[in-house]
Amino acid sequence: MKILIVEDEQQLTAALVSYLKNEGYVCESVLNFEQATEKVHLYDYDIVILDIGLPDGNGLDLLKLLKKLRSQAGVLIISAKNSLDDKLAGLDLGADDYITKPFHLAELNARIKSILRRRNFEGNHEVIFQEIRVNTDKFETLVNGQLVVLTQKEQELLLYFISNKNRVLTKESIAEHLWGDHMDMADSFDFIYTHIKNLRRKIAQKGGKNYLQTVYGIGYKFTSI
């Protein structure tokens, strides 16, 4: 899952990036409103962690922009203000949650997981597609009831496909989602094929079907049709 952190406190941003990367997220970060505006115009994110008090703008205006762009990202507001008016304004504009500084990183992570479950997996810890079951908390995948040992990237790839089943995903979008925004500068996306080949093989070894269709010249589609 890919997260954009919009926070002007460099020390806090560094701590957030370090912690969330250790938790398995792909993290991008910016320090001001202008950089954040450029990012949300160019890239897609699963979650935006958004500070309201930015040096060159108001985080709530960025939230309005995300809604105008019809972004699918969940939004978690972080603010130094424990103001009821700010909370109501953020939630009224479509934010998913609000947390006041200072906060424990573990609590922030729990709220991120909750948003991801609600938005992508109907609030469930376990994602089921045909004979495939993925437990997002335990990072565990079962096929026909048998444990499949996947690398972190393979499991993220599987979850990304299941979350976007029946949609064609370009190689560029897969690379950016799993490795970060800088992948838009990559000369080749051949490495994605290696991960997909391994994922197909491991699922097949447990008797699972191949739901990954290659859309030649574009990317891949995960479908049972």
Side-chain angles (χ1 to χ4, degrees):
M1 296 293 175
K2 192 166 71 164
I3 295 176
L4 174 64
I5 300 166
V6 185
E7 168 59 61
D8 64 316
E9 294 181 35
Q10 295 191 29
Q11 190 172 355
L12 175 58
T13 299
L16 289 172
V17 169
S18 175
Y19 178 84
L20 292 174
K21 280 187 174 179
N22 283 337
E23 291 295 316
Y25 300 102
V26 174
C27 291
E28 303 289 339
S29 64
V30 293
L31 298 172
N32 58 51
F33 185 89
E34 182 180 357
Q35 292 171 346
T37 300
E38 182 178 357
K39 282 281 195 185
V40 300
H41 272 106
L42 291 175
Y43 304 107
D44 294 322
Y45 300 96
D46 296 294
I47 297 278
V48 176
I49 297 175
L50 178 60
D51 185 16
I52 290 181
L54 298 170
D56 57 341
N58 188 318
L60 294 179
D61 289 332
L62 189 71
L63 177 54
K64 292 177 185 175
L65 175 61
L66 285 165
K67 298 306 174 186
K68 182 179 178 181
L69 295 173
R70 299 184 181 278
S71 168
Q72 297 301 307
V75 177
L76 173 55
I77 290 177
I78 54 175
S79 176
K81 301 177 183 177
N82 189 18
S83 160
L84 179 60
D85 288 342
D86 283 339
K87 289 182 182 178
L88 294 177
L91 295 173
D92 283 345
L93 287 171
D96 294 86
D97 204 351
Y98 189 109
I99 189 170
T100 305
K101 300 177 188 175
F103 50 80
H104 291 288
L105 293 174
E107 181 185 359
L108 180 80
N109 189 29
R111 290 174 184 252
I112 290 171
K113 287 181 176 179
S114 176
I115 293 172
L116 290 172
R117 283 197 302 270
R118 289 201 305 270
R119 298 184 69 89
N120 297 332
F121 310 124
E122 299 176 343
N124 297 313
H125 294 276
E126 191 172 59
V127 182
I128 301 173
F129 183 86
Q130 305 292 358
E131 69 273 28
I132 301 171
R133 307 173 76 95
V134 182
N135 188 305
T136 58
D137 282 352
K138 296 179 180 177
F139 291 99
E140 183 179 271
T141 299
L142 302 176
V143 175
N144 290 320
Q146 303 173 77
L147 180 65
V148 181
V149 179
L150 299 178
T151 66
Q152 183 175 331
K153 286 299 181 192
E154 289 165 357
Q155 174 139 323
E156 290 174 4
L157 184 61
L158 179 58
L159 278 173
Y160 188 46
F161 277 125
I162 293 176
S163 301
N164 293 279
K165 56 181 177 290
N166 300 320
R167 291 179 56 196
V168 176
L169 299 175
T170 66
K171 295 176 184 176
E172 291 85 348
S173 68
I174 295 169
E176 287 175 16
H177 183 82
L178 267 70
W179 283 272
D181 294 346
H182 65 283
M183 292 308 299
D184 63 351
M185 304 297 288
D187 295 326
S188 169
F189 298 105
D190 291 346
F191 60 93
I192 294 174
Y193 173 74
T194 302
H195 288 277
I196 286 177
K197 183 177 70 173
N198 290 338
L199 186 58
R200 281 173 168 154
R201 175 176 54 79
K202 291 180 180 181
I203 291 175
Q205 285 174 342
K206 302 299 182 184
K209 296 179 182 176
N210 178 20
Y211 299 110
L212 270 166
Q213 296 180 359
T214 301
V215 182
Y216 290 100
I218 301 176
Y220 300 91
K221 183 166 76 171
F222 195 85
T223 180
S224 60
I225 301 173

